[in-house]
Amino acid sequence: MSRSNRSRWLQILAGAAWAAAAASPAFAQTPTVYEGARLITGAGTTIENSAFVVESGRFTQVGRRGELQLPAGAARVDLAGKTVMPTLVDLHGHIGFQNIPAGTMSKETFTRENLIDHLQRLAFHGVGAVVGVGDLVDRSDMKGGRTGWGDVVLRVRDEVVPNAALFKTAGAGMAWPGSGAQGDPSRVDVSYPVSTPEEARAAVRDYVRIKPEFIKIWVDDRAGNKPTLTPALYDAILDEAHKFNVPVAVHNVKQADAKEMVRNGMEGWLHVPVRDGEVADDELVAMVKDRVARNDRPNMWMTPSLITSWMNTQGGGRPAFLDDPLLRATYAPKQIEQYWGEPLKKMTPEQVARVKSRFDSDAKSAMRLRAAGIRVVEGTDTGQSRFLIGYFNHMDLESMVAMGMSPGEAIVAATRDGAEIAKLNTGLVASGRSADFIVLDANPLENISNTRRINKVFLRGQEVPRAEMAAKWQAQFSQAATR
C-alpha cells in the first residue's frame, strides 16, 4: 500500500470510528442488561448463559439469563456466543516515561498527556487499573532540597479519565544510590538514594507524605556488579514504614534476603522472591506458612513477572504472537521486529535451553511460595521498550499458566486478587463493583491466549472506543516513520 493510500485508509478508519462512537448509546445512567454470555466472574466461578445489569457505571445484578428482576425500561444487549470477564489489574507498571511512537524514553516525556496515553493503551487491552512503580514525582533530594519533579501522578490518581485505566502510584521507590531501576538512564536516579539506616528512615518519612499504595525498594546487586541495600537498610525501611501502616514491596533476587524480609514483615514482591538459579527452600516455605498462621501481616503477595522469560522460551523461531492483530494495533511492525522478532530469531538452541531451565526454576519457586500463602497477582514491569504496554498483561496470564496455574486461577490472580491488594472496586463482575469488563470472542478457560481475542472493553459501564484509539496510534506510527 502506498503512503498516500495508507494515509487515506487511516483517515477513513478514524472517521468511521468517530461515527460509530457517536452513534453508540451511552448507558452511564440508563440501566442495561447484558445477556447470554459465558461469564467468568473473577471469583473463580463461571455462569453459563448469564445476565448482568449495569446502572450508573456499576454492576447492580448478576446471575443467569431470565432469572433477574430487570429494571423498567432497561436496554438489552445480546452477548450470546461471547465470553465476559473482569478487566485486569496490574500492580507493577513503569508507565509514563516512554514515547511509544518514537521508541524513546525521558523524564521530559513524563507528562500528564503521555501518562494518560499509556493508561488508554492499557484500557484498549482490557486493563482496568494499574499501580505505577518508580514514578517521577517530587521528593526529597536527601541533601536538604527537593527534586522539583512535579505532581503529575498525584493529580492523575485522583481523576477518572475517560477511556483510561484507573491509576494509582507507589511513588519513586528507594534504593542504594544508582542501584534502583536500571535500563534507560531516565529512570536510574528516580528513586530515593539511601546508604545509611538514618537516611532510610528519613526517606520513608518523606515518602509516606504522598500516601503511596506501597513503598517500593530494590535489593539487587545486578549479579555482583552494583552495591545494594543491606539487611540493616531494608530492615530500617520496613520498621519505619510500618510505623505509618504503609506496606513495602521489593524487587529482590536472593533467598537469604527473602528470608530476612519474611522475618521482618515484607508484604509484597515485585518478581519471584527467589530466582536466578536458586529455588525457594523448605525453610523459607515454613517461614511464610508461619507468618500466615500467626496472622502476622499475612496478606503477602507477588507479581512473578516471568513474562520476558516465558516469551524467550519461544526463541529460535517466529512465535505466532508476533503477528497478533492485538499487538499490531498498538505497536509498529518495525518495533515488533526490533524488540522481539529479531532477538527471538537469533537465539541459539543452547540459549533457549538455558532460558527454559531458568524459567522452570523461577516457576518452581513461585508455585512453592504460592502454596505456602503468598498470593500471585498480575504485574508486568511494563513501560520500557520491549516491555509492551497492555499486551504484556496477556503474556503475563500465559506465563502464569506456563508456571503451573490453571487459566481460571490466573484470571482470579489478575482480577479479583490484584484489586483486593490495591484496594480497588474493580476486578469482579459482582453487584456493587465498578462495571469494568471485557467481551471476548473465545473462552480463555479453554486456552488462556483467548484473553487476546477482545471484542469490546467496558470501563465504568462505558464502551472504550478501541477502533478510534487504534486509528490514532497507527497514524502516529506513520508520522514517526516519515521524520
Side-chain angles (χ1 to χ4, degrees):
M1 184 182 294
S2 69
R3 183 176 299 167
S4 60
N5 285 341
R6 178 177 174 79
S7 176
R8 176 61 180 157
W9 178 85
L10 289 169
Q11 291 172 4
I12 292 171
L13 179 58
W18 273 110
S24 298
F27 296 138
Q29 303 302 323
T30 304
T32 305
V33 57
Y34 296 85
E35 302 174 291
R38 173 185 300 105
L39 175 60
I40 301 170
T41 65
T45 57
T46 303
I47 303 173
E48 299 291 343
N49 196 21
S50 70
F52 55 92
V53 179
V54 173
E55 188 171 1
S56 297
R58 295 192 179 224
F59 299 112
T60 57
Q61 295 185 63
V62 179
R64 289 183 58 82
R65 188 174 198 169
E67 297 180 1
L68 303 183
Q69 295 296 317
L70 301 184
R76 303 178 82 135
V77 177
D78 187 357
L79 294 179
K82 305 296 184 184
T83 298
V84 169
M85 63 175 281
T87 56
L88 307 172
V89 178
D90 190 331
L91 269 69
H92 188 182
H94 296 299
I95 60 176
F97 290 91
Q98 188 180 15
N99 179 332
I100 293 178
T104 60
M105 294 183 68
S106 69
K107 286 185 176 66
E108 290 71 26
T109 305
F110 203 103
T111 63
R112 181 180 185 278
E113 180 183 24
N114 197 50
L115 184 59
I116 288 174
D117 174 77
H118 293 180
L119 296 173
Q120 290 179 331
R121 290 172 185 270
L122 289 168
F124 178 92
H125 288 86
V127 180
V130 63
V131 177
V133 176
D135 290 332
L136 192 69
V137 62
D138 182 56
R139 62 164 175 80
S140 167
D141 65 6
M142 305 304 292
K143 298 177 182 178
R146 309 292 302 177
T147 61
W149 285 333
D151 64 349
V152 167
V153 296
L154 306 184
R155 288 185 283 116
V156 172
R157 77 173 175 184
D158 292 331
E159 295 183 53
V160 177
V161 180
N163 305 316
L166 290 177
F167 176 77
K168 301 296 180 184
T169 183
M174 299 174 64
W176 187 275
S179 295
Q182 300 299 295
D184 191 270
S186 63
R187 298 177 57 233
V188 172
D189 65 347
V190 167
S191 55
Y192 287 86
V194 297
S195 54
T196 69
E198 294 73 24
E199 286 180 342
R201 291 180 183 275
V204 169
R205 290 192 293 271
D206 189 69
Y207 200 142
V208 299
R209 292 166 61 187
I210 70 165
K211 299 180 180 179
E213 297 304 303
F214 50 81
I215 287 174
K216 162 70 183 286
I217 67 173
W218 282 263
V219 182
D220 186 351
D221 65 10
R222 310 293 175 176
N225 293 314
K226 284 184 175 291
T228 192
L229 297 179
T230 63
L233 292 174
Y234 59 72
D235 285 348
I237 292 168
L238 283 164
D239 181 65
E240 196 70 20
H242 291 159
K243 292 177 183 177
F244 294 93
N245 200 30
V246 175
V248 182
V250 62
H251 161 133
N252 84 286
V253 176
K254 297 178 180 178
Q255 183 143 236
D257 288 315
K259 290 178 179 179
E260 179 72 8
M261 291 165 184
V262 170
R263 187 177 295 114
N264 286 290
M266 184 69 70
E267 287 91 349
W269 282 266
L270 300 166
H271 295 291
V272 180
V274 180
R275 52 197 171 107
D276 286 3
E278 288 188 287
V279 175
D281 64 17
D282 291 344
E283 181 184 22
L284 179 57
V285 167
M287 292 172 70
V288 171
K289 288 181 177 179
D290 180 64
R291 244 181 74 177
V292 173
R294 290 187 293 107
N295 200 31
D296 177 16
R297 297 186 181 274
N299 196 21
M300 292 173 279
W301 53 274
M302 63 171 142
T303 67
S305 300
L306 293 178
I307 310 155
T308 56
S309 181
W310 163 241
M311 292 166 74
N312 282 332
T313 65
Q314 301 172 62
R318 184 176 178 80
F321 71 77
L322 293 171
D323 297 310
D324 187 345
L326 182 64
L327 175 57
R328 290 182 172 267
T330 51
Y331 281 86
K334 180 180 179 181
Q335 291 178 322
I336 294 169
E337 296 308 311
Q338 176 188 347
Y339 299 153
W340 285 100
E342 290 300 319
L344 288 176
K345 184 171 67 175
K346 292 177 181 178
M347 289 181 70
T348 66
E350 293 75 20
Q351 288 174 321
V352 174
R354 284 196 297 271
V355 167
K356 287 182 177 179
S357 176
R358 183 60 55 86
F359 176 85
D360 290 343
S361 174
D362 292 349
K364 184 176 180 180
S365 285
M367 293 300 285
R368 293 202 79 201
L369 293 171
R370 176 177 179 265
I374 298 181
R375 279 203 286 182
V376 169
V377 293
E378 179 159 71
T380 57
D381 208 8
T382 194
Q384 50 183 334
S385 61
R386 67 199 303 254
F387 289 65
L388 307 166
I389 293 176
Y391 197 76
F392 254 38
N393 293 87
H394 298 275
M395 291 289 101
D396 192 32
L397 288 167
E398 294 190 30
S399 72
M400 288 184 196
V401 171
M403 77 184 197
M405 297 172 69
S406 71
E409 290 170 338
I411 289 171
V412 170
T415 56
R416 182 197 69 184
D417 287 357
E420 286 185 3
I421 295 296
K423 299 180 177 64
L424 293 163
N425 187 35
T426 186
L428 275 178
V429 180
S431 181
R433 292 279 183 152
S434 180
D436 306 327
F437 61 98
I438 313 169
V439 180
L440 301 169
D441 287 329
N443 183 3
L445 298 178
E446 295 176 351
N447 187 328
I448 193 62
S449 67
N450 286 336
T451 64
R452 296 190 256 135
R453 301 272 303 274
I454 298 173
N455 182 277
K456 297 180 187 297
V457 174
F458 290 79
L459 292 179
R460 301 169 288 278
Q462 294 289 308
E463 183 177 351
V464 175
R466 298 177 70 248
E468 172 192 329
M469 290 174 162
K472 179 183 73 172
W473 295 326
Q474 291 297 320
Q476 289 174 348
F477 286 128
S478 295
Q479 292 167 7
T482 63
R483 291 172 186 163

